[in-house]
Amino acid sequence: MEEENKIKQEEEKGISFCDIMKEDTSKMIKETESKMPIFFQSYSDLYTKYLHLLDDIFGTCYIAEKEFFDKLNIDQGILKQIKENSEIVRNNYIQSINSSAKFFDEYIKMKTSAIESFDKYFHVMMESYAKTLSQINKSLENNEKR
């Protein structure tokens, strides 16, 4: 019903190019925006399943290989060194994950700030542009009156 009233109003007053572009662009942006949480959540769920699969694979391998490696009777000194090396690799990996997460967070903050700054700049420029167009229209109207 609201859409029909809007169409009737547009038919009565006529539509402008700016109205068409603004309305269609806004609708496309809002539709994209409404799908983003679903997209990100779906991707997150998929990645979580992938990580759990890897964890399950190592758990299954552990059960299958434990008896085999226990029978090899590997020297405890070697096993301790392997554990230390594995912990170093693990800690470096976790530190890398945390650094990447922090970098990404700061990157998003910087991009958001840049967008907000551009938005403020654009509004100032559009106000100036609108004033200029208004002055031009006034000049044209004054010239037509003469």
Side-chain angles (χ1 to χ4, degrees):
M1 187 71 170
E2 184 180 321
E3 189 70 28
E4 291 175 13
N5 288 337
K6 192 173 184 178
I7 292 171
K8 283 182 183 179
Q9 288 175 351
E10 287 176 354
E11 288 175 355
E12 289 173 7
K13 71 172 186 171
I15 56 174
S16 73
F17 179 76
C18 291
D19 291 336
I20 294 168
M21 295 304 293
K22 170 65 175 127
E23 183 177 331
D24 290 346
T25 302
S26 291
K27 284 182 179 179
M28 288 186 291
I29 289 171
K30 286 178 183 172
E31 186 65 23
T32 301
E33 187 178 37
S34 74
K35 301 300 185 226
M36 292 315 265
I38 295 166
F39 171 77
F40 287 121
Q41 186 61 54
S42 295
Y43 186 78
S44 176
D45 292 346
L46 175 66
Y47 196 70
T48 298
K49 286 184 186 292
Y50 168 72
L51 293 175
H52 283 281
L53 172 68
L54 289 178
D55 194 40
D56 288 346
I57 287 171
F58 281 102
T60 303
C61 289
Y62 173 82
I63 293 167
E65 296 173 351
K66 179 155 179 45
E67 185 178 343
F68 171 77
F69 284 107
D70 285 349
K71 286 181 181 177
L72 290 177
N73 208 12
I74 300 173
D75 180 78
Q76 287 296 304
I78 293 172
L79 290 175
K80 286 179 184 176
Q81 187 61 52
I82 290 172
K83 180 168 177 42
E84 287 177 23
N85 291 344
S86 180
E87 288 173 353
I88 290 169
V89 170
R90 179 196 66 209
N91 291 338
N92 286 339
Y93 184 76
I94 289 171
Q95 186 178 13
S96 176
I97 289 170
N98 292 332
S99 294
S100 294
K102 186 175 181 178
F103 173 80
F104 185 72
D105 184 52
E106 294 300 321
Y107 175 77
I108 294 299
K109 287 178 185 174
M110 180 200 61
K111 285 289 202 179
T112 301
S113 177
I115 289 170
E116 290 169 351
S117 294
F118 178 77
D119 186 50
K120 289 175 186 173
Y121 168 77
F122 186 76
H123 279 89
V124 168
M125 293 305 296
M126 288 310 296
E127 287 175 18
S128 175
Y129 178 66
K131 287 178 184 175
T132 301
L133 288 179
S134 177
Q135 289 174 350
I136 291 171
N137 283 336
K138 285 179 184 176
S139 295
L140 291 173
E141 288 173 3
N142 287 340
N143 286 338
E144 287 177 1
K145 289 179 182 177
R146 288 183 196 168

